[in-house]
Amino acid sequence: MGPLRGAQRSVIFHSRLAFRSSFQRMTLPLVASRLASSVAPKLKDPSLLKTGVCYVDGEWVKAASGKTFNVYDPATGALIGASPEFTGKDTEKAISAAAAAFPSFRTKTGREKAKLLRRWYDLVVENADDLAKLITWENGKPFADAKGEVNYAASFFEWFSEEAPRLYGDSIPATVPGNRVLTIKQPVGVCGLITPWNFPAAMVTRKLGPALAAGCTVVVKTPGEAPFTALALAELAHRAGIPKGVVNFVTTLEHTPEVGETLATHPTVRKVSFTGSTVVGRLLMKQASPTLKILSMELGGNAPFIVFDDANVDAAVAGAVASKFRSSGQTCVCANRIYVQKGIYDEFAAKFAEQVKRFKVGHGFDEGITHGPLIHNRAISKVEAHVRDAEQKGAKIILGGQKLPDLGANFFQPTVITGMTKDMAMAGEETFGPVAGLFPFTTEKEVVDLANSAEVGLAGYFFSQDLERITRVAEALEVGMVGVNTGIISDTASPFGGVKQSGFGREGSKYGIDEYVNIKTITLGGMNKPLQS
């Protein structure tokens, strides 16, 4: 996914839309109230912005070729800076550094690793404002959201600093007289971590925290669209005293497939953790198969969000707004198919649209902005295609539905569409944008069947006040995570991951560290001799 381009200028845009059925005419203030600043944000610590270099073996280095790629502000199209265009050969040097660091790092005690992670956590918290500025600058999300992401990102270092000393094994009663069976947990080795652009801090720390707590060393492939947040984290790792070679950060844009293949095929890399699309996940699995790597993958989603007649409608509206429009709809657990039972469909749609109408779209650094741009022009094209497809097949756009060229090339109106049906593209594809399609349904079985019809199964949500229904539906949904009467499910303490073609493995929680360890069984024989006199 490439960076957005586009100029931005001051505009107040009012879209007057015919609101059919029982709905009233509404306007949508899709606005930026003033000209978005084209001036680069000022960091308290400018040395956190690392341009032209990657972090390998404890040093800041350039690509062997000297080539770089440009990174642009998705809101304004302005150049932020350049990062090294690493190749597979460059990445191999990072893998070698991680391999050289592993024998020493793996022997550190849990408490020693905990102290390193805690120092890294403290530095992230101390520099939270600058990290948030980098996120908004290269990702586009509003500054308030970016600050929330930094706190979330830091929490994984804190959580796994507490898990590091607690890699407990077991003593297992053996069936053979005189034998004793023990298990210990050992780090898997060098890990390749491939992270996405939509959470350029949190998706890095969610993988790094457990890897280091387990005693692994890593090579992080940062997203080409948003590399500078991850590189700032690398600088803070250096300051925290993380030993050289333990963490290595590489950047690339043009050679992304080559670098990914290097991590997936290199025999020294024992595990790959990937967050991204299902298509790329399948490719990495194929590439990793000859070396039988351990894999964990958090892939695409198409989350159902179900509102039953017995739900608290106002709470359901708030939950749907939070789930659907977080980061302008660019999260893997966003509500993508909103199913509303017919008895409350009109009421829900009217209240939902009223909430969305209050959004303020613009540059993430501007005061009061609730939603920023999409990440690149391909994202805009997909969102528009989904809207036009629904419109052509009989759905009604009751709010939004258009690009916002006066704000910039990568802005799209927060959109609400009613009368959705299962033959529309949005029913089967992840939109990854600020478009909410509302599907009517009649029965519980009908909606669960519709929800489970997707080939993916990452997250699902539903609102109901019927306790029996809550149990039935939560267990019936074919997803890895279920939010009941809430639209937000991300929590450091909660295991994150999916089923079906949304991948496998879990991140965060007490289970997250298990993805980075092997269980070794030790059988002790001859333990039944009598006591010596």
Side-chain angles (χ1 to χ4, degrees):
M1 301 177 179
L4 285 166
R5 307 289 187 274
Q8 187 176 25
R9 63 183 181 269
S10 178
V11 66
I12 297 180
F13 186 89
H14 295 276
S15 176
R16 301 189 180 275
L17 301 163
F19 205 85
R20 300 186 183 180
S21 185
S22 63
F23 307 117
Q24 308 217 347
R25 191 175 183 83
M26 341 185 114
T27 60
L28 180 61
L30 300 167
V31 310
S33 60
R34 61 180 176 83
L35 179 65
S37 173
S38 60
V39 179
K42 292 182 179 180
L43 303 181
K44 296 177 183 177
D45 182 355
S47 67
L48 287 177
L49 176 59
K50 297 295 183 182
T51 59
V53 288
C54 289
Y55 188 69
V56 176
D57 202 19
E59 303 288 340
W60 291 100
V61 301
K62 298 181 179 180
S65 66
K67 292 182 178 179
T68 61
F69 62 92
N70 290 334
V71 181
Y72 297 89
D73 181 340
T76 67
L79 177 67
I80 298 173
S83 282
E85 186 62 74
F86 262 40
T87 63
K89 289 293 184 184
D90 293 313
T91 305
E92 287 177 2
K93 294 179 182 178
I95 293 171
S96 295
F102 179 63
S104 173
F105 190 68
R106 70 175 299 177
T107 63
K108 288 191 177 295
T109 67
R111 190 60 61 191
E112 288 174 323
K113 292 177 290 185
K115 289 178 179 178
L116 288 170
L117 284 168
R118 183 69 195 197
R119 284 201 291 269
W120 202 356
Y121 163 80
D122 289 338
L123 287 169
V124 171
V125 172
E126 289 171 18
N127 292 276
D129 196 65
D130 279 349
L131 290 170
K133 288 177 181 177
L134 290 173
I135 291 172
T136 294
W137 199 6
E138 65 181 355
N139 169 281
K141 67 179 61 176
F143 186 57
D145 288 356
K147 288 193 287 188
E149 182 186 340
V150 173
N151 290 333
Y152 183 48
S155 71
F156 288 106
F157 286 157
E158 181 181 40
W159 177 274
F160 286 106
S161 74
E162 297 163 350
E163 290 294 300
R166 298 181 175 87
L167 271 180
Y168 300 130
D170 291 303
S171 174
I172 303 171
T175 61
V176 178
N179 281 6
R180 300 292 185 271
V181 179
L182 309 175
T183 64
I184 59 174
K185 294 179 180 179
Q186 296 183 312
V188 300
V190 176
C191 300
L193 311 179
I194 304 175
T195 63
W197 52 262
N198 58 340
F199 288 90
M203 296 302 94
V204 175
T205 62
R206 196 163 74 183
K207 299 178 190 296
L208 273 171
L212 268 61
C216 299
T217 57
V218 304
V219 177
V220 180
K221 189 274 176 191
T222 66
E225 300 83 357
F228 294 124
T229 304
L231 294 174
L233 290 171
E235 171 62 23
L236 297 179
H238 188 83
R239 298 178 192 180
I242 305 296
K244 75 171 192 174
V246 171
V247 294
N248 305 273
F249 288 71
V250 305
T251 66
T252 186
L253 188 63
E254 179 184 348
H255 294 100
T256 292
E258 179 184 337
V259 169
E261 184 176 9
T262 299
L263 292 172
T265 60
H266 199 289
T268 301
V269 177
R270 299 297 177 85
K271 173 189 171 63
V272 171
S273 176
F274 170 70
T275 298
S277 72
T278 298
V279 172
V280 175
R282 293 189 194 114
L283 177 61
L284 289 171
M285 283 188 68
K286 182 177 181 180
Q287 292 171 341
S289 62
T291 51
L292 290 178
K293 284 180 175 42
I294 299 169
L295 299 174
S296 55
M297 297 198 168
E298 190 255 286
L299 307 177
N302 187 354
F305 189 106
I306 304 167
V307 185
F308 289 100
D309 282 345
D310 59 67
N312 179 316
V313 175
D314 291 335
V317 167
V321 168
S323 177
K324 172 67 256 183
F325 290 101
R326 183 185 181 196
S327 297
S328 296
Q330 297 176 112
T331 84
C332 53
V333 293
C334 276
N336 198 61
R337 299 168 289 156
I338 302 177
Y339 297 105
V340 184
Q341 203 158 13
K342 289 183 177 179
I344 58 168
Y345 186 89
D346 287 358
E347 178 188 1
F348 178 92
K351 289 183 174 181
F352 183 77
E354 185 63 34
Q355 290 296 314
V356 176
K357 189 177 68 168
R358 299 174 185 175
F359 292 165
K360 188 175 182 181
V361 182
H363 191 290
F365 288 117
D366 285 350
E367 188 70 27
I369 292 299
T370 61
H371 293 78
L374 300 190
I375 190 64
H376 50 52
N377 55 6
R378 295 193 304 281
I380 286 285
S381 296
K382 183 175 185 180
V383 167
E384 185 171 39
H386 277 194
V387 172
R388 301 284 82 82
D389 171 81
E391 188 176 38
Q392 291 166 10
K393 293 176 180 175
K396 301 295 183 294
I397 300 172
I398 63 172
L399 204 64
Q402 301 295 330
K403 293 187 287 187
L404 290 168
D406 288 332
L407 287 180
N410 305 301
F411 288 88
F412 199 92
Q413 294 176 327
T415 298
V416 180
I417 306 176
T418 60
M420 297 291 296
T421 58
K422 63 183 180 180
D423 64 324
M424 296 173 184
M426 205 181 304
E429 301 174 15
E430 189 175 25
T431 304
F432 229 65
V435 178
L438 309 186
F439 297 73
F441 75 92
T442 303
T443 68
E444 183 180 294
K445 183 179 186 307
E446 172 196 1
V447 75
V448 170
D449 287 345
L450 287 168
N452 290 343
S453 65
E455 65 179 11
V456 292
L458 188 58
Y461 309 83
F462 68 93
F463 276 70
S464 173
Q465 297 184 83
D466 182 329
L467 290 178
E468 292 182 356
R469 169 176 280 160
I470 286 172
T471 300
R472 286 195 306 270
V473 175
E475 294 180 0
L477 288 175
E478 296 173 355
V479 296
M481 300 171 286
V482 180
V484 182
N485 294 328
T486 180
I488 301 296
I489 58 174
S490 295
D491 187 322
T492 313
S494 176
F496 193 101
V499 298
K500 300 197 290 189
Q501 294 197 41
S502 285
F504 42 81
R506 292 297 180 266
E507 293 186 325
S509 82
K510 69 175 186 177
Y511 300 105
I513 200 168
D514 290 342
E515 303 291 333
Y516 294 89
V517 296
N518 290 319
I519 296 176
K520 177 176 284 184
T521 302
I522 301 172
T523 301
L524 304 176
M527 305 298 290
N528 59 343
K529 295 180 180 179
L531 295 173
Q532 295 182 359
S533 58

